[in-house]
Every structure is written in structure tokens, then in C-alpha cells.
Amino acid sequence: MHTDKSKVLLFGSGGVGTIAALNLEVGGHAEVTAVLRSNFKAVKERGFEIASCDHGTLKGWRPSEVINYVPKASEKQFDYLVCTTKNQPDCPPSLTELIAPAVKPGHTVIVLIQNGLNIEKPMFEAFPNNIVLSGVSMIGSHETEPGVIEHDDNDRVLIGPFHNPNLSAKDEEAAARDFVRIYSAGGKTDCELQLDVNFARWRKLVYNACLNSICALTGLDTGRIRLADGAIDGLVKPAMEEIRAAAKAVGVELPPDVCDFMIEIDPLNMYLPPSMLGDMRKGNFTEFENIVGEPLRVGTALGVPMPTLQVLYHLLQAIQWRTKEVRGLVTIPPKGDFVAK
Ligand SMILES: NC(=O)C1=CN([C@@H]2O[C@H](COP(=O)(O)OP(=O)(O)OC[C@H]3O[C@@H](n4cnc5c(N)ncnc54)[C@H](OP(=O)(O)O)[C@@H]3O)[C@@H](O)[C@H]2O)C=CC1
Ligand SMILES: CC(C)(CO)C(=O)C(=O)O
């Protein structure tokens, strides 16, 4: 059957990805094939169970197709490849390696709805002729068990082109506009075009590099961190000011009130566990390299003092190593026998 719907491959259908798939399907201009992993069996058998502040309650919902492998572009051609996995470049295999089979050079538009800075760089390198779009999301959505999605903070997503100097800026902007069209068509989401991707990403880092990482390290949610003695003034605000200074050094002017705005973005009594805290609680890897490491490297390379971020980064790096050890991904010398003989 002929259909003029855009063909979308969604890679990673957890909290963010499932709601993205839902928005794309309900709009009627996209047909979504979702690549699933740990939730594949549950979703194949029962569909998703979704409790959503934007979409209501859905039981047994599935996108057009659910698969558990990355299809080859030679078998099926996709117009968009939407990546909604956690982005952890320090934990191989890399995202570019994983999605490579499905990317048709010069055709597939790659959309990264993921947190962090410089996430487009490996994409430009691996797929120099493909347009790459940025998705900065302020959603609150989580998979509580396989196939069960709790979406409790409205989907607000800013889409814009990461500019690849090899490609036409006009074509990149047109692709971003088209993605906003198909994503918004259902009318259940707030999806806007934001051509200044750098601004959108640095602004979100004020939240993610600082509040998200400090919540993860302290084990406190965004309500408790505001109540905890000294945490906001002694840690969160200084870190946020360092991000603001690094942003300024790359030409992104963030207003002075952005720090208070991000601290108070959700009501205190929502006691929201941001994503890195969620990952830490589950014993999962965190996205610390893109969320903290990249802005730290960019800022320090430009001479911006970032002492708070430096400490946060190394604490997160050590915890990532701990998780790798727990998962058997690093080997250490056997413990010596130091008992006195
Ligand atoms: N959740 C939120 O509210 C927000 C998240 N973000 C950002 O959005 C991005 C996605 O986050 P989120 O949805 O929370 O993440 P989740 O962990 O909920 O979902 C990621 C999904 O990707 C799947 N996945 C990972 N690797 C593969 C693979 N190789 N093949 C197939 N599936 C794979 C995971 O499967 P498996 O279970 O098998 O690991 C999981 O279902 C992140 O960058 C995050 O920082 C931004 C704003 C808010
Ligand atoms: C700001 C927030 C909570 C989502 O909007 C987020 O980005 C995260 O938890 O990583």
C-alpha cells in the first residue's frame, strides 16, 4: 500500500522515545518502526501501557512496527532515524556503530533527542552526508517496568539543525521544519523550531550539568536538594555560574536569572528525580561525559575556571568506573594477601 507518511526509525523506546513515537503516530504524518531491547518481549506481547499527562491512559499501544534489531537501509529506507537512547560515548559500542546499518548516506535525517553537548560530532564524522537534528526535551517520562511508561511532565521539545559545514544550511533548516511538522501534527505536544541549537543546549546544561549531576551524586531529588543545608548556594549555583561563563566564552549569552529559573523550574514538592539520579539509583551508567565532561572541556579549553564542574566530573567518572567493575567490564589485579604471617 502506498503511503506518503514519513518513515521513522526510533532507536530506544524508553521514557522519551515512547512518547516521541506516540506523538509521531498520532499526528498521522509518520509511520514509526521502533527498535526495542529489554522491553521487546513485553511490548510485542502486550503493547505499551502508558499513563501520560499529554495523551491520557493507553493500554496495549504499539507503534506501526516493533522490532529488536537495527534494520539495514538496503532492506527498508527510513526518512528519519530518531535516537532516544541514553548517550554514553564511554560505554561501547558507540551510538554511531549501533545505528550505522539503518543510515542511508545522504538521505536519512538523524534526530538526536538526547541531553548533552557535542553529541552531533561523532554523527558528522560517521555520516558526513546526513543531516543531523537536535532535540532538546524538557519532558518528564520514565519506563517503570518493561513496556510501562509514566509520563508526568508535559512534552516540550525544541528541534533545530546541528550545522554541518559540508551540508546546506537551508536543507538542514527545511528538515528541522519538516520534523517539527510531523511531530506536532497530533496537537498533544509543544514542539517548536529553535534554530539556535547552541543556545538551547547550553541553556539546558545549566540544569543538567549542575542540578542533575549534583542530585545524582548526593542521592537527593530536586525538591530535597533545595531543602538540604548549603547545597544550592554552596554547590548548585557556583556550578551553574561556571556553565554560564563557559557558554559566554563560546558566544552564548545566558541571562543571569537562568540559574534561579532552572532551580525553580519544577515545584519543590514534585521531588523530581532527574535522569542521572534515576540512572544512579538503578545502578546504570550515566551520561556524565556529554552532560558534564563536554561543557567542562569546552570551557576550560577557553580559559574559563570551572573548579566545581571539575570535581563533579571526576566524582561521576569514578562512579562510572565502579559501575563498569560491577558489570565485569574492567578487570583489576587480584587482592593481595596482607595478613601478617
Ligand atoms: N526521561 C526524561 O524525562 C528525560 C530524558 N532526557 C534525555 O533523553 C534521552 C533518553 O532518555 P530516557 O528516555 O530517559 O532513557 P531510557 O533509559 O528511559 O530509555 C532509553 C531506551 O533506549 C534503549 N536502548 C539503549 N540501547 C539500546 C540498543 N542498543 N538497542 C535498542 N534499544 C536500546 C533502552 O533499552 P534497555 O532497557 O534495553 O536499556 C531504553 O529502552 C537521554 O539522553 C536523556 O538524558 C531528556 C529530558 C528528559
Ligand atoms: C530537565 C529534565 C528533568 C527533563 O525535563 C531532564 O533533562 C533530566 O532529567 O535529565
Side-chain angles (χ1 to χ4, degrees):
M1 191 186 82
H2 173 75
T3 160
D4 57 5
K5 290 181 179 182
S6 296
K7 302 276 187 298
V8 178
L9 184 70
L10 181 98
F11 186 66
S13 200
V16 170
T18 306
I19 301 301
L22 185 52
N23 280 316
L24 287 160
E25 290 276 4
V26 297
H29 296 303
E31 191 180 281
V32 179
T33 299
V35 180
L36 274 58
R37 193 169 60 177
S38 64
N39 53 3
F40 175 74
K41 191 167 174 284
V43 173
K44 196 78 188 158
E45 283 170 7
R46 300 186 296 279
F48 280 105
E49 188 180 320
I50 302 172
S52 161
C53 53
D54 291 343
H55 297 266
T57 304
L58 290 94
K59 271 197 183 355
W61 182 82
R62 288 184 193 86
S64 294
E65 205 180 348
V66 171
I67 56 179
N68 62 353
Y69 62 96
V70 175
K72 289 200 180 90
S74 54
E75 287 158 21
K76 186 166 178 184
Q77 187 170 301
F78 290 96
D79 305 311
Y80 291 97
L81 200 171
V82 178
C83 299
T84 42
T85 51
K86 291 269 161 62
N87 196 326
Q88 291 143 343
D90 55 317
C91 303
S94 67
L95 183 55
T96 51
E97 284 172 90
L98 290 166
I99 64 171
V103 178
K104 182 174 179 199
H107 178 81
T108 319
V109 173
I110 299 164
V111 188
L112 303 177
I113 309 184
Q114 294 175 318
N115 277 327
L117 193 68
N118 289 338
I119 57 175
E120 74 284 14
K121 299 254 157 87
M123 297 287 151
F124 285 179
E125 209 172 297
F127 314 113
N129 300 314
N130 291 78
I131 292 172
V132 184
L133 302 181
S134 157
V136 173
S137 170
M138 288 303 289
I139 198 174
S141 180
H142 307 278
E143 186 173 38
T144 52
E145 52 187 280
V148 180
I149 306 293
E150 249 179 51
H151 173 202
D152 53 15
D153 203 359
N154 305 87
D155 189 43
R156 290 152 289 160
V157 56
L158 298 172
I159 300 291
F162 283 117
H163 181 51
N164 177 344
N166 295 328
L167 303 180
S168 140
K170 226 171 118 208
D171 291 349
E172 291 173 324
E173 183 177 329
R177 283 187 191 280
D178 187 61
F179 189 77
V180 170
R181 176 186 68 83
I182 63 170
Y183 194 95
S184 310
K188 305 259 183 180
T189 176
D190 179 4
C191 174
E192 287 173 28
L193 184 73
Q194 163 64 279
L195 293 175
D196 193 346
V197 163
N198 234 1
F199 179 84
R201 290 218 160 249
W202 276 98
R203 184 173 180 277
K204 178 117 199 248
L205 284 171
V206 173
Y207 183 104
N208 276 320
C210 311
L211 202 51
N212 198 353
S213 63
I214 293 166
C215 286
L217 287 165
T218 56
L220 298 174
D221 56 51
T222 56
R224 287 179 174 83
I225 200 84
R226 283 159 73 179
L227 297 168
D229 297 330
I232 292 292
D233 288 339
L235 270 175
V236 176
K237 282 192 179 172
M240 286 181 165
E241 286 303 337
E242 289 170 20
I243 289 290
R244 227 164 63 77
K248 193 179 164 85
V250 296
V252 174
E253 200 68 53
L254 297 170
D257 65 359
V258 71
C259 304
D260 287 332
F261 176 83
M262 289 297 177
I263 291 165
E264 288 158 20
I265 196 162
D266 291 309
L268 182 148
N269 64 357
M270 192 181 259
Y271 299 113
L272 180 121
S275 58
M276 287 169 94
L277 174 57
D279 288 333
M280 209 76 108
R281 282 180 175 164
K282 289 182 191 162
N284 286 344
F285 293 123
T286 66
E287 296 171 289
F288 83 103
E289 282 293 3
N290 290 336
I291 290 179
V292 180
E294 282 302 310
L296 174 65
R297 285 186 276 273
V298 169
T300 47
L302 293 169
V304 178
M306 302 179 81
T308 318
L309 259 292
Q310 183 91 33
V311 172
L312 297 178
Y313 173 76
H314 287 297
L315 287 170
L316 290 161
Q317 191 180 37
I319 293 173
Q320 195 89 325
W321 185 90
R322 184 181 73 191
T323 310
K324 285 182 181 166
E325 192 197 0
V326 169
R327 295 186 179 200
L329 298 175
V330 288
T331 43
I332 59 168
K335 189 171 178 346
D337 184 0
F338 297 99
V339 179
K341 296 211 169 76

